[in-house]
Amino acid sequence: MASLLTRRKGGKDDMEPISLNGSNPSIPSSPPPHTTEYRTLADDRTMAQVERKGSMTVAEIIASPSISRFQTPTKLRESLLEKPELLNFKQGTYNFIIICFAFIAGNLCVDRYFSTGSFVDLDLLQWFLRDAWVSIGLWLSMSAWCFLVWGVTWAVVMKRIPNALGITAYVILMVSLFVYPIVVVVIRDMSPLLAMCASMQICVHAMKMHSYWSTNYLLHRYYEDHPDRAAKVRRSSGDSRFQVPDVSFPPFLYFLVAPTLIFASEYPRSSHIRPLYVLKELLGVVGSMSVLYILLTDTAIPIYRQSSTLPLWYALVKLVLPSMCLWMLMFYGLFHCILNIFAELTCFGDREFYQDWWNATSFDMWWRKWNRPVHRWMVRHVYADSMQTVHFSKVSATFSTFLLSAVLHEFCLIVAFRVRRPVLATTMLLQIGIIYITQLPIMESTSLGNMTVWACIFVGQPLMQILYAWEYFQNQVKA
């Protein structure tokens, strides 16, 4: 074999032995003692070619399977966690999080079984759902209320009633939407879970119907003041439903069930419903809500009940991880699973219900990405409308938008826990100062800014839960 591994030196028959380390010793024709010779079919073919040709170049030797596998496959590369933009958080991370929550819930269930004899606290679940039929009735009544708003809007746009009468009827309907469900919640003394569902349904229906009324009424008034422009729009556009009022029934009915808060005559639509996708998201809702309930009953509620006796800092430390787990499960179950189920069943195509809020480096960015449907509604019907109709400045429009968002969030919690202290609204308004801090050059678009946002969330979530739980349980004791 030594005669085969040679380099051509001069003439045709002038050869010299070569080696891979550059010292050119003769290569032994057989492996040394106490070693194992690894040969492959490719090696045999290569050797056969060499025997036929009589020689082998350095490139051919290096490229042979027996030699190429010893090359060092290195190059300049960063660790993956040093380059967040290269991270690929797909199915692996998703499955890891699911399994972690499943084992956490399983561990809590086993602990409860050995201490109480049952895996889950069913008594608390029965108390949470004791007025479920009343809650369903409230939802149906609020849905029926929406048809009254459609009737008033239709009458105004079609000029069946004066504009002033239409506005008066709309205001009365909007006030009744907020008053009637709250009265039912208080009289029935509904549990915080169902009371929270009722208050959130009030906000959703109110925002939807305001968008429907405002869009059609303002377009109606605009073209009423400029009739020549309405005619031009209709003549110049084959489909003018986006530029003129549309009070026909099918778009209204679709808007009522679609997972969006902003009215339009048409939306991007998917071609068909995927049953397996709906089933997967339903399982996601059941799984996330089940783990949320187990964490709530076994880790959070015991701390809530002791919130008035424990030092605040101690209760805060003990509640940090449970409260963040509850918050993340709520986000996944509501913003991802439930909204995507409605989107799939209605073939609604715009499914950007959230963005990467976990990468936010300032609180204004976080609020823009956390809840996209509400953010778009606030921008269109509060920020833009306030500047266009009442001529607010940008600063005043921004503050009014943030204030209304804080009021609506606080409204949901006041109805749910029957408290009188605006804790959440106060903390949201205090975030205005934090927004300016996180917009400093040292914070903006940096890892430090993102850590600041996460630190505020980790402290703010358990703090608000403790304060609301403390007042709620104090009221229960007094009652």
Side-chain angles (χ1 to χ4, degrees), residues 131-145 180-181 184 190 198:
D131 291 316
W133 292 110
V134 178
S135 180
I136 294 174
L138 279 177
W139 173 71
L140 292 175
S141 63
M142 284 186 276
S143 300
W145 169 90
Y180 168 69
V184 174
M190 297 176 69

Side-chain angles (χ1 to χ4, degrees), residues 120-138:
V120 182
D121 187 356
L122 296 178
D123 294 335
L124 185 62
L125 182 62
Q126 292 175 356
W127 179 73
F128 274 153
L129 303 177
R130 64 182 180 180
D131 291 316
W133 292 110
V134 178
S135 180
I136 294 174
L138 279 177

